[in-house]
Amino acid sequence: MKKFKIAVLKGDGIGPEIVDATLRVLEKVAELYGVEFSFQEGLIGGIAIDKTGDPLPDETLELCKSSDAVLLGAVGGPKWDDLPTHKRPEKGLLRIRKELDLFANLRPAKVWEPLIDSSPLKPEVVKGTDMLVVRELTGDVYYGEPRGIFEENGKRVGVNTMKYSEDEIRRVVRKAFEIARKRRKKLTSVDKSNVLEVSGLWKEIVEEEKKNFPDVELEHLYVDNCAMQIVRRPSTFDVIVTGNIFGDILSDEAGVVVGSLGMLPSASVGEKYALYEPVHGSAPDIAGKGIANPIATILSASMMLKYSFSMDDAADLLERAVEEVLRKGYRTPDIYSEGCKKVGTKEMTDKIIETLEELKG
Ligand code: IPM
Ligand code: MG
């Protein structure tokens, strides 16, 4: 029997609830597909600060490095909001990405037919939207040096540095081309090369790599224009590749266009490791109430099945189970609309598990 070791980092806020829900789904997948998953828990984020003083303790990092994949809930909350940037729960997330060298963050945003009305855009505009943002995750202004708040002529200045090396750009761009090749063969590269040198280099590398992918159609968009086109013509995008900060912003935008942040999964992958987490945050306002939408985390687990364990059939079946449950009208409060059946985290998870069993037959 195939065995996979999964590091489970529940984190803060709704993290524990949505991760527990997802582990139940994974147990069912294991049973249906004859594999074995072992789950080992580690601390990250605010809870790790409270227990150890460090948002990413060494043991957690070691656990992740010795596992086949990492499943993460969410980090952060008002309790830690007053800490300085370098001590906040988010720092745990930024460090784990860097330490595991997870340079490509894949954020699919597709419209779920039964949820098409929850998009703020007209149904005819969003219909058929199925895009994937490939966001570079270990470089850019997030990590560039120098950074800090300094004094200049008796006044404070804040400094961050947007920086990308040729190799950092090339590896994520290549990954995006490879993914586009397996999808609808269209890649949009997003930059700000009318203003920024770093974007000029980005664009050059994309053009160089294009030579290896003649079958993939390529478009370049400036980030401001891209932000606009995502709301004007979302269904025309296939794969979007961009740097860390632009990708952070555009992936939230893509998320809302397709209806709900509560539905968006992500995979962060490098050469050696991979981490799966929902795009939404820790939602402290609803934590502990049993009403959080577990679907983004469950779909992140589906990406894990596909990308880390090559269990493509199981991944597809899980997605179909989610779609089927939505079609039957079950909704957590964040995606609720009139005439549907409102359910909490547990019931939504039960329905997905039941449907998974039915579909597997
Ligand atoms: C995300 C989040 C993080 C980021 C924050 C929480 C550090 O917004 O994963 O998109 O900016 O990368
Ligand atoms: Mg973000």
Side-chain angles (χ1 to χ4, degrees):
M1 192 188 287
K2 272 196 186 151
K3 288 188 184 172
F4 300 104
K5 186 175 162 189
I6 303 174
V8 176
L9 318 182
K10 298 180 182 175
D12 309 315
I14 58 170
E17 302 159 56
I18 54 181
V19 171
D20 284 338
T22 303
L23 298 185
R24 287 179 52 216
V25 174
L26 282 173
E27 298 276 17
K28 179 54 72 178
V29 169
E31 184 192 314
L32 295 175
Y33 284 85
V35 298
E36 197 179 308
F37 297 132
S38 70
F39 306 124
Q40 266 98 20
E41 284 189 43
L43 294 170
I44 194 166
I47 186 167
I49 297 177
D50 289 352
K51 292 202 170 155
T52 72
D54 183 348
L56 181 65
D58 290 342
E59 306 87 81
T60 300
L61 200 54
E62 280 319 305
L63 169 67
C64 294
K65 288 185 174 168
S66 67
S67 300
D68 298 303
V70 182
L71 180 67
L72 190 144
V75 300
K79 185 173 175 194
W80 306 280
D81 269 354
D82 294 331
L83 294 172
T85 332
H86 66 282
K87 285 192 175 152
R88 289 171 66 98
E90 288 83 349
K91 197 70 192 180
L93 194 55
L94 297 178
R95 265 193 60 216
I96 203 171
R97 290 171 177 172
K98 193 72 173 174
E99 301 266 5
L100 300 180
D101 201 18
L102 307 172
F103 64 85
N105 180 218
L106 318 183
R107 298 188 161 185
K110 74 164 187 176
V111 68
W112 296 80
E113 211 41 53
L115 290 185
I116 198 158
D117 290 323
S118 40
S119 170
L121 303 184
K122 296 189 198 91
E124 64 267 28
V125 175
V126 273
K127 195 174 170 24
T129 297
D130 180 3
M131 64 180 126
L132 174 73
V133 178
V134 178
R135 165 189 177 191
E136 200 288 330
L137 202 60
T138 52
D140 203 345
V141 71
Y142 273 67
Y143 298 92
E145 298 280 352
R147 67 183 299 155
I149 299 174
F150 307 107
E151 209 162 287
E152 252 174 34
N153 307 321
K155 294 276 184 199
R156 285 167 303 163
V157 291
V159 179
N160 287 96
T161 303
M162 186 177 267
K163 183 174 170 184
Y164 266 123
S165 73
E166 180 171 348
D167 292 348
E168 283 175 316
I169 300 170
R170 195 177 303 281
R171 63 183 184 171
V172 71
V173 165
R174 194 170 285 172
K175 180 117 219 153
F177 268 116
E178 282 163 2
I179 293 173
R181 178 174 265 173
K182 290 195 200 142
R183 292 177 42 114
R184 301 194 309 279
K185 297 192 170 47
K186 184 173 173 198
L187 182 64
T188 304
S189 171
V190 178
D191 64 54
K192 188 72 188 173
S193 55
N194 48 346
V195 179
L196 304 172
E197 285 78 5
V198 51
S199 280
L201 179 64
W202 180 281
K203 197 168 177 179
E204 252 176 58
I205 306 287
V206 172
E207 281 300 326
E208 284 170 27
E209 282 304 312
K210 163 79 178 112
K211 298 195 180 90
N212 300 319
F213 299 87
D215 52 325
V216 177
E217 182 196 335
L218 173 67
E219 90 178 319
H220 296 278
L221 290 181
Y222 296 140
V223 63
D224 48 350
N225 184 23
C226 182
M228 187 165 73
Q229 301 307 335
I230 285 177
V231 288
R232 274 187 65 198
R233 51 169 179 93
S235 66
T236 65
F237 289 95
D238 181 14
V239 179
I240 294 177
V241 65
T242 189
N244 205 346
I245 188 91
F246 298 156
D248 178 42
I249 299 165
L250 294 178
S251 60
D252 268 26
E253 189 193 3
V256 74
V257 160
V258 295
S260 169
L261 215 50
M263 298 289 299
L264 295 185
S266 86
S268 304
V269 302
E271 304 295 350
K272 264 170 99 175
Y273 306 109
L275 177 149
Y276 300 84
E277 61 174 319
V279 170
H280 62 70
S282 58
D285 51 322
I286 59 162
K289 294 189 179 160
I291 55 170
N293 185 351
I295 294 181
T297 317
I298 291 172
L299 293 173
S300 301
S302 161
M303 294 183 85
M304 175 188 289
L305 295 171
K306 184 168 177 169
Y307 292 108
S308 284
F309 308 151
S310 299
M311 294 174 66
D312 293 35
D313 290 351
D316 289 347
L317 199 76
L318 187 47
E319 273 201 33
R320 278 177 45 212
V322 167
E323 179 140 36
E324 192 52 33
V325 168
L326 295 172
R327 189 168 295 126
K328 288 181 191 156
Y330 295 100
R331 303 278 191 277
T332 43
D334 59 308
I335 50 174
Y336 178 77
S337 59
E338 234 181 86
C340 293
K341 297 166 215 148
K342 200 181 272 183
V343 295
T345 314
K346 178 168 185 305
E347 206 183 336
M348 178 58 96
T349 311
D350 291 343
K351 292 293 166 201
I352 292 172
I353 291 173
E354 259 170 54
T355 310
L356 199 57
E357 266 188 311
E358 274 166 35
L359 290 175
K360 184 75 179 16

